[in-house]
């Protein structure tokens, strides 16, 4: 029996940072980077080659380096985002996966709960419904993640779709992990 190390930060549990088999890690809206733990994240890009993830829709944005992001050793991961109606398609072998979505509300126009609400569908099924980043995080520029376990991929791909309800959906990073 081995345990995955986790880090407890200010009353919340941070993500396990080791011993996970990642199929893809993408820095949504941003360039490739290596995080403080030495993990590589690929750059976001539209309609990449068949062997790489692709995204349709949405807009990429990068916030200024002066924006302070709480409780992370890799703030640059949360200073970039893709926002709007969008779909990411990840080429994967058929199997079962976990989809981890990283968020931090960094748009100054969102000042209250309920101002950004959206749904995330994974392989056509609702995974996060009426999702509000600010409500879930509890503060502006505070990163957190939500994991959708047990995602079955068939046909060689896995799709993550962001559907607006109020304002635009937004995401900072996505991980596809073997479940």
């Amino acid at each position: 029996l081995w345990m995955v190390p986790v880090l407890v930060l200010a009353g919340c549990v941070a993500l396990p940072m080791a011993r996970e088999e990642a199929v893809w890690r993408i820095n949504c809206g941003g360039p490739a980077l290596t995080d403080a733990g030495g993990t590589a994240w690929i750059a976001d890009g539209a309609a990449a080659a068949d062997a790489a993830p692709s995204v349709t829709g949405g807009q990429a944005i990068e916030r200024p380096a002066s924006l302070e992001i709480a409780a992370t050793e890799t703030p640059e991961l949360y200073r970039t985002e893709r926002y709007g109606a969008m779909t990411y398609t990840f080429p994967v072998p058929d199997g079962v996966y976990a989809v981890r979505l990283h968020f931090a509300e960094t748009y100054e126009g969102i000042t209250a709960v309920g101002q950004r609400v959206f749904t995330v569908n994974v392989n056509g099924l609702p995974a996060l419904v009426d999702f509000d980043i600010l409500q879930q995080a509890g503060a502006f520029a505070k990163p957190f993640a939500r994991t959708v376990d047990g995602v079955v991929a068939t046909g060689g791909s896995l799709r993550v779709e962001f559907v607006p309800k109020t304002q635009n959906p937004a995401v900072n990073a996505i991980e596809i992990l073997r479940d």
Side-chain angles (χ1 to χ4, degrees), residues 73-179:
E73 293 180 4
T74 310
E76 58 272 22
L77 190 64
Y78 298 95
R79 288 191 189 116
T80 61
E81 72 182 46
R82 183 168 286 272
Y83 67 94
M86 62 194 139
T87 301
Y88 279 90
T89 302
F90 296 89
V92 295
D94 290 356
V96 181
Y97 296 88
V99 176
R100 184 173 297 142
L101 305 164
H102 294 260
F103 303 98
E105 185 57 72
T106 60
Y107 174 50
E108 301 83 12
I110 302 296
T111 58
V113 168
Q115 292 180 331
R116 181 193 305 272
V117 179
F118 57 95
T119 293
V120 179
N121 296 321
V122 178
N123 280 348
L125 300 173
L128 303 175
V129 178
D130 291 338
F131 189 73
D132 185 319
I133 296 172
L134 192 58
Q135 179 182 38
Q136 294 295 310
F140 184 79
K142 180 181 175 188
F144 70 99
R146 289 293 175 264
T147 301
V148 180
D149 292 310
V151 176
V152 177
T154 58
S157 70
L158 189 152
R159 293 171 45 96
V160 181
E161 177 187 24
F162 295 81
V163 181
K165 181 173 180 180
T166 304
Q167 200 17 286
N168 287 303
V171 64
N172 300 94
I174 301 173
E175 296 177 272
I176 308 298
L177 309 163
R178 292 217 186 268
D179 202 11

